[in-house]
Amino acid sequence: MSSTSKTLGLLAYFTSAQPEIGLSQLCRQAERDKATTYRHLQALEDAGFVEQNPATKHYRLGPALLQLAQIREETVPRKAGAETVLDGLVDTTGETAHVSVLSGTTVYPLVSRESQHHSTRAIIDVQSFPLHATASGLCALAFGPSDLWPAAVARLQVFTGRTIATEDALRQTVEAVRHSGFGQSDRCYEDDIQGVSAPVFDQSGRFAGAVSVACVASRFSPSLEAKVKENLIEASRDITRNWGGTVPAEIEAAWATSLSRSNVLESTS
């Protein structure tokens, strides 16, 4: 990993739950020595990417990121193209829905909507979606660029007793995702959450991200699965259209086959 990558990588440790981080704490989280971490923070501070809170001396994200985020949204308004679709997805499924985007070899959350239909519901509060352990990440591996594979294999972190932990198991799972057109995670990242994702494409015709529904595992029945998949298909088509793309014919064919199987399972359950 280059020095630039290591420097910019420190930004990933700032989250809504941890908006400020002290130098010693960041050293522990990044597993780097204090001198190196401080040098990288100084570079980020010089660029306006971080700043120090005068009262606490802890670091927080800087104003330069706000400008970059505004420019990004003005020129590539993906968030706006997904929000209305998510509102409809939450209403029809009764579950939390979210959209993620692929950047490099990482799948990042873009926007989410929590369901108000249940007191117990999935909450999307992550910095990124692990490629091997989430429905969004599996969608990226199945339909995204080939360079995601070595990145995923290198990060097979175990989160629960159901997390995919070997390259062979991951390969089999990704192949199943390609055949169905849906990424699915059954308590692989969190013990009580199941997720289903459908790929989203942009004007380039390439995989751009995923639209997903996250549900408390105890509510995930065959009938809910069928409903979620039907509505994810519509959501994927709508977001893809809003992002200037078209869903590939092979994905549409996979969805049709997958829905037929889901309907059979629902009718026999």
Side-chain angles (χ1 to χ4, degrees):
M1 183 183 293
S2 69
S3 178
T4 301
S5 297
K6 290 180 179 179
T7 300
L8 293 175
L10 292 179
L11 297 174
Y13 293 97
F14 295 90
T15 67
S16 56
Q18 185 176 250
E20 294 191 4
I21 313 176
L23 175 59
S24 297
Q25 182 181 2
L26 193 55
C27 290
R28 290 193 299 270
Q29 292 183 347
E31 298 182 346
R32 303 177 194 174
D33 63 81
K34 183 168 290 188
T36 300
T37 305
Y38 180 73
R39 185 173 69 253
H40 291 165
L41 283 171
Q42 285 296 106
L44 291 172
E45 189 171 17
D46 290 343
F49 290 162
V50 300
E51 62 183 11
Q52 267 190 302
N53 183 327
T56 65
K57 301 303 180 182
H58 288 181
Y59 291 88
R60 61 193 180 192
L61 295 179
L65 292 176
L66 295 176
Q67 181 182 9
L68 292 175
Q70 183 177 352
I71 294 171
R72 167 72 181 187
E73 189 57 29
E74 287 175 353
T75 56
V76 189
R78 293 189 174 183
K79 186 175 180 180
E83 288 178 323
T84 301
V85 177
L86 281 188
D87 289 337
L89 190 56
V90 170
D91 287 341
T92 53
T93 65
E95 302 294 341
T96 295
H98 61 96
V99 171
S100 55
V101 291
L102 176 67
S103 179
T105 59
T106 303
V107 177
Y108 294 99
L110 176 67
V111 60
S112 66
R113 290 287 189 270
E114 289 181 22
S115 168
Q116 302 301 316
H117 293 256
H118 308 282
S119 58
T120 304
R121 55 186 179 268
I123 297 175
I124 309 303
D125 184 19
V126 297
Q127 175 186 341
S128 63
F129 294 98
L131 293 170
H132 68 295
T134 61
S136 302
L138 291 170
C139 255
L141 285 174
F143 308 114
S146 59
D147 61 353
L148 294 181
W149 183 258
V153 172
R155 307 172 192 159
L156 290 178
Q157 180 180 352
V158 174
F159 298 100
T160 74
R162 292 173 174 262
T163 303
I164 297 170
T166 68
E167 183 174 357
D168 285 344
L170 183 60
R171 184 176 288 107
Q172 292 176 17
T173 301
V174 170
E175 191 61 28
V177 172
R178 291 194 180 106
H179 279 97
S180 70
F182 296 100
Q184 291 193 241
S185 173
D186 182 1
R187 291 163 282 182
C188 295
Y189 186 51
E190 297 180 87
D191 284 315
D192 56 348
I193 299 296
Q194 285 191 234
V196 185
S197 296
V200 175
F201 302 85
D202 61 16
Q203 75 283 352
S204 70
R206 293 188 288 266
F207 174 87
V211 55
S212 311
V213 170
C215 173
V216 173
S218 60
R219 284 200 299 271
F220 197 75
S221 63
S223 59
L224 179 58
E225 179 180 358
K227 178 188 287 187
V228 165
K229 287 182 174 179
E230 288 173 0
N231 285 279
L232 277 176
I233 289 173
E234 293 304 318
S236 173
R237 289 170 179 160
D238 289 343
I239 295 173
T240 294
R241 188 182 308 114
N242 291 345
W243 289 2
T246 303
V247 176
E250 60 268 25
I251 304 295
E252 293 281 2
W255 285 342
T257 301
S258 184
L259 278 190
S260 297
R261 291 173 180 167
S262 295
N263 290 334
V264 168
L265 288 175
E266 182 183 357
S267 65
T268 57
S269 63

